[in-house]
């Protein structure tokens, strides 16, 4: 059949907003509205990127630059040069930066932050829809540490995304040069942030399923090199090149087939009727009025094997026709009555098989668009499970293992770890023989003895060895000189007497690791590599540990769960006591919220404020936040969001409000549902340094002359605050939900 010449948004997200991609490549070849080139001292050719751009533009760059600049620029300012020949962008931002001054809060870092802020603001003013940035300042000239630059880039883009007024799509693409191993490592270390924020990263491809983002109505993963989205919505609005219609070719006006053919129009219905029943129960037609390029009609017969084979065949067809995107419904889960979990497994198996076999160059996006919420939840659960099974990476295990190490140190040796990352103090009483697993890269690995740690300390060895496991990653160096981290294959392994433990790297190769000998032997080839330790941090800040709270119930691979507390438990009684200190309401139940992504985001925010303020001004408090029943799911699954703040969020600033006393939130801001029940969160909030706010404030003001050094929150009263207002969504974690009447 002929394909209609109608465009389709092949890669655009159904949900508008800021999308971030972190990719290997070179900045000069990016096809975006604008790209960024760093410079020093108002010289556009002072960096490698500037010189490369000049060569590509035939020497026109300098003349155009000086014409646009009109004079010297100050650090953090940029010159926008438009219409450079030979480039695939509309404009280039030449950003004036300072060389690194060995201070992560110093002038060089603040200049970089301000420069990124200004560029993003100009993009909004000029209605640009995409921007590409290199890993700014890490070259030989400016010498920024890679982890500092990567953190600044992610934080500033995150703040921009939170505060951006427009909901139109905007793409930020961070380009990591293929030879930039340090930036690869830095962004991989920030993987938790990327996932939490919905960022897309192919800097370190390895596992087949890589979770990117999860929201109430969408989950996005990378399936090999193809983005897979499961979306709650209507397939006729999928915005893809191809839409798949499920039909038995007999009754065309039933279920999803009726919706698709109605939207496509009578001409497509007539074309499909004329086809009849194809020999292999699959055919294509024009798209008609549907807005895609082609419709694929297929019968799946409620059989898992046919679903697998047909999904694979559809992907092969899309790649052969150079289509970039395809949308599927939840096959046979409607009137056909197939179990949602069974349907999802068959679809994902078929798609995975197709992607592995064809390794597509054109096809980059698969959407499964599901109308019913219960079916969507089943599909989402299956995909999350696959991501968890496939992606037991160093980062995901690190919190579990570090918490274990901390408990071992405290319980067995009486070692007290100061919460201040810059100042860890050890106190060691006499103790008997104790088994101890040494933990590296957040993983339980080989070296297991009864007295090693105690002996090292009692013999007067460096005390830092006692906690070195918390700050050490282990890797091998491959034939190309690249560092590849090792991860424990079985996180429940307890090698008490063995010298070896099974570990793997991200391409799936298994190794027998002997930490005592410092060697890793590849199981398949027998080749032995020397173990290398990788410093957790190369900059000034102390290492960040994404550990889960010790009072959580085991997650067992889950991302989110709510645990109802027993009224006779100490945890319940402690929460209830705080609530009843200022209220007389009857508590119906108390639920503990356990969301791994939200907790990791909160931990990262805590680390940032701790590094900036020190422990004395971290201001970590348990506060109260009243809400409606309808908002609970959004808060627990996504985070406290200023868009849900309500009319009371304007008295002391346009942020999220928390109260010191439960009565304030319970009385005024906890509306009852139809059954008379009210709801209130006990939230863990990072108040940091604060000042009195007023209704016009959209962000906390600067503390002094330095514009970038701002307060962390606002209050109603400087001396005795009763209300705190925060402006970063990750600054609070919804720890408990109290339902009361």
């Amino acid at each position: 059949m002929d394909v209609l010449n109608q465009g389709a948004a092949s890669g655009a997200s159904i949900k508008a907003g800021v999308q971030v991609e972190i990719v290997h490549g070179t900045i000069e070849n990016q096809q975006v509205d604008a790209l960024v080139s760093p410079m020093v001292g108002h010289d556009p050719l002072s960096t490698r990127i500037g010189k490369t751009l000049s060569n590509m533009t035939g020497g026109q760059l300098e003349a155009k630059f000086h014409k646009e600049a009109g004079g010297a620029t100050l650090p953090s300012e940029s010159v926008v040069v438009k219409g450079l020949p030979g480039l695939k962008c509309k404009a280039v931002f030449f950003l004036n930066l300072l060389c690194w001054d060995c201070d992560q809060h110093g002038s060089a870092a603040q200049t970089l932050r301000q420069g990124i802020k200004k560029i993003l603001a100009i993009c909004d003013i000029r209605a640009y829809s995409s921007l590409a940035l290199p890993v700014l300042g890490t070259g030989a000239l400016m010498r920024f540490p890679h982890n500092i630059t990567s953190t600044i880039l992610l934080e500033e883009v995150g703040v921009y995304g939170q505060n951006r007024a427009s909901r139109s799509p905007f793409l930020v693409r961070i380009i990591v040069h293929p030879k930039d191993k340090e930036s690869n490592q830095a962004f991989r270390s920030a993987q938790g942030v990327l996932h939490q924020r919905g960022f897309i990263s192919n800097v370190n491809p390895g596992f087949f399923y890589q979770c990117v983002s999860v929201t109430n109505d969408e989950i996005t993963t990378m399936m090999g090199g193809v983005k897979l989205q499961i979306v709650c919505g209507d397939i006729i609005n999928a915005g893809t090149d191809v839409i798949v219609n499920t039909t038995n070719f007999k009754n065309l006006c039933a279920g999803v087939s009726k919706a698709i053919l109605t939207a496509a129009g009578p001409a497509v219905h007539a074309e499909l009727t004329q086809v009849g029943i194809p020999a292999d129960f699959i055919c294509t037609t024009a798209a008609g009025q549907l807005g895609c390029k082609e419709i694929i009609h297929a019968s799946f017969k409620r059989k898992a094997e046919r679903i697998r084979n047909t999904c694979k065949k559809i992907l092969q067809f899309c790649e052969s026709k150079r289509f970039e995107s395809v949308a599927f419904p939840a096959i046979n889960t409607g009137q056909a009555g197939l179990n949602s979990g069974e349907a999802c497994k068959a679809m994902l198996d078929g798609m995975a098989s197709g992607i592995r076999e064809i390794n597509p160059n054109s096809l980059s996006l698969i959407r499964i668009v599901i109308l019913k919420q219960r079916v969507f939840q089943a599909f989402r659960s299956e995909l999350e499970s696959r991501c968890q099974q496939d992606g037991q990476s160093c980062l995901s295990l690190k919190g579990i293992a570090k918490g274990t190490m901390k408990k071992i140190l405290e319980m067995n040796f009486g070692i007290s770890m100061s919460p201040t990352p810059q100042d860890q103090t050890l106190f060691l009483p006499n103790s008997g023989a104790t088994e101890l697993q040494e933990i590296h890269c957040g993983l339980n690995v080989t070296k297991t003895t009864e007295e090693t740690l105690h002996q090292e300390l009692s013999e007067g060895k460096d005390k830092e060895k006692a906690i070195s496991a918390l700050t050490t990653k282990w890797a091998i160096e491959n034939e190309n000189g690249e560092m590849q981290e090792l991860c424990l294959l079985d996180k429940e392994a307890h090698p008490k007497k063995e010298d070896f433990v099974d570990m793997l790297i991200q391409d799936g190769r298994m190794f027998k690791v002997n930490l005592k000998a410092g060697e890793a032997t590849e199981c398949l080839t027998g080749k032995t590599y020397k173990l290398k330790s990788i410093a957790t941090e190369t900059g000034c800040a102390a290492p960040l540990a994404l550990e889960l709270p010790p009072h959580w119930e085991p997650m067992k691979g889950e991302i989110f769960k709510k645990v109802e507390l027993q009224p006779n438990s100490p945890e319940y009684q402690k929460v209830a006591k705080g609530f009843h200190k200022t209220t007389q309401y009857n508590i119906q139940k108390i639920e503990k919220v356990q969301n791994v992504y939200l907790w990791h985001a909160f931990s990262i925010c805590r680390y940032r404020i701790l590094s900036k303020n020190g422990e004395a001004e971290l201001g970590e408090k348990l506060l109260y936040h009243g809400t409606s029943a309808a908002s609970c799911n959004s808060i627990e699954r996504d985070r406290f969001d200023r868009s849900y703040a309500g009319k009371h969020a304007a008295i002391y600033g346009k942020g999220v409000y928390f109260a010191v006393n439960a009565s304030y939130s319970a009385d005024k801001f906890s509306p009852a549902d139809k059954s008379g029940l009210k709801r209130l969160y006990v939230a863990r909030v990072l108040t940091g340094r604060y000042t009195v706010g007023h209704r016009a404030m959209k962000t906390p003001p600067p503390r002094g002359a330095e514009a970038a050094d701002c307060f962390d929150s606002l209050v109603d009263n400087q001396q005795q605050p009763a209300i705190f207002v925060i402006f970063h969504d990750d600054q609070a974690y919804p720890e408990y939900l109290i339902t009361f009447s």
Side-chain angles (χ1 to χ4, degrees), residues 67-78:
K67 181 180 178 181
E68 291 291 341
T73 55
L74 297 174
S76 82
E77 293 181 347
S78 57

Side-chain angles (χ1 to χ4, degrees), residues 400-419:
I400 299 170
K402 183 180 175 185
T404 305
M405 180 62 162
K406 185 175 179 181
K407 289 178 181 178
I408 291 171
L409 291 171
E410 292 178 349
M411 292 171 60
N412 296 322
F413 295 99
I415 295 175
S416 174
M417 293 181 57
S418 166

Side-chain angles (χ1 to χ4, degrees), residues 677-688:
L677 297 178
K678 307 176 78 174
R679 289 160 182 83
L680 170 147
Y681 284 100
V682 181
R684 189 170 294 275
V685 185
L686 304 169
T687 62

Side-chain angles (χ1 to χ4, degrees), residues 139-352:
L141 180 62
M142 285 178 262
R143 307 183 308 279
F144 270 70
H146 292 74
N147 66 312
I148 297 294
T149 294
S150 61
T151 299
I152 290 174
L153 280 170
L154 294 179
E155 286 184 349
E156 292 306 322
V157 172
V159 171
Y160 167 75
Q162 289 176 352
N163 297 331
R164 185 170 180 255
S166 172
R167 302 308 299 161
S168 60
F170 184 78
L171 170 65
V172 178
R173 182 177 293 156
I174 300 173
I175 311 301
V176 180
H177 195 278
K179 295 182 180 180
D180 187 355
K181 298 175 185 177
E182 292 86 353
S183 290
N184 283 344
Q185 181 65 34
F187 279 107
R188 183 164 65 176
S189 297
Q191 188 179 12
V193 187
L194 305 181
H195 288 181
Q196 171 62 29
R197 287 297 187 190
F199 293 175
I200 300 168
S201 170
N202 69 356
V203 167
N204 188 41
F207 295 117
F208 189 72
Y209 292 97
Q210 298 183 69
C211 185
V212 173
S213 66
V214 182
T215 66
N216 291 337
D217 53 8
E218 179 182 315
I219 176 170
T220 300
T221 69
M222 295 304 295
M223 182 186 271
V226 178
K227 185 198 297 186
L228 171 65
Q229 291 180 328
I230 298 181
V231 182
C232 191
D234 193 331
I235 195 169
I236 65 173
N237 300 318
T240 52
D241 289 347
V242 176
I243 289 178
V244 177
N245 176 34
T246 60
T247 178
N248 60 8
F249 294 100
K250 296 177 181 178
N251 183 7
L252 301 179
C253 294
V256 70
S257 179
K258 179 180 179 181
I260 290 174
L261 293 177
T262 300
V268 175
H269 190 286
E271 184 180 359
L272 186 59
T273 302
Q274 187 176 2
V275 170
I277 300 178
D280 53 355
F281 296 95
I282 186 170
C283 69
T284 65
T285 67
Q289 302 166 21
L290 195 53
C292 58
K293 295 179 179 179
E294 200 157 322
I295 304 174
I296 297 176
H297 309 269
S299 175
F300 296 89
K301 300 181 177 292
R302 277 187 89 253
K303 294 181 179 179
E305 185 63 27
R306 179 163 181 85
I307 292 174
R308 283 192 289 270
N309 293 337
T310 306
C311 285
K312 178 179 177 180
K313 184 183 295 185
I314 289 171
L315 298 190
Q316 291 170 332
F317 171 81
C318 290
E319 178 66 15
S320 69
K321 297 289 291 286
R322 297 186 178 179
F323 291 133
E324 296 180 0
S325 54
V326 58
F328 290 79
I331 292 171
N332 289 161
T333 58
Q335 294 183 358
L338 186 63
N339 175 270
S340 299
E342 185 179 348
C344 183
K345 289 177 182 177
M347 290 180 68
L348 294 182
D349 287 346
M351 292 172 182

Side-chain angles (χ1 to χ4, degrees), residues 480-521:
N480 299 321
E482 297 173 341
M483 300 297 286
Q484 294 183 293
E485 285 189 39
L486 288 159
C487 297
L488 191 69
L489 183 62
D490 180 9
K491 67 181 180 181
E492 301 297 331
H494 295 281
K496 294 183 179 179
K497 296 183 180 179
E498 300 86 345
D499 289 331
F500 295 91
V501 67
D502 291 328
M503 301 185 79
L504 54 77
I505 58 176
Q506 286 201 331
D507 62 9
R509 287 184 291 156
M510 286 185 55
F511 292 80
K512 287 284 186 183
V513 176
N514 187 333
L515 190 60
K516 186 179 295 184
E519 294 179 342
T521 303

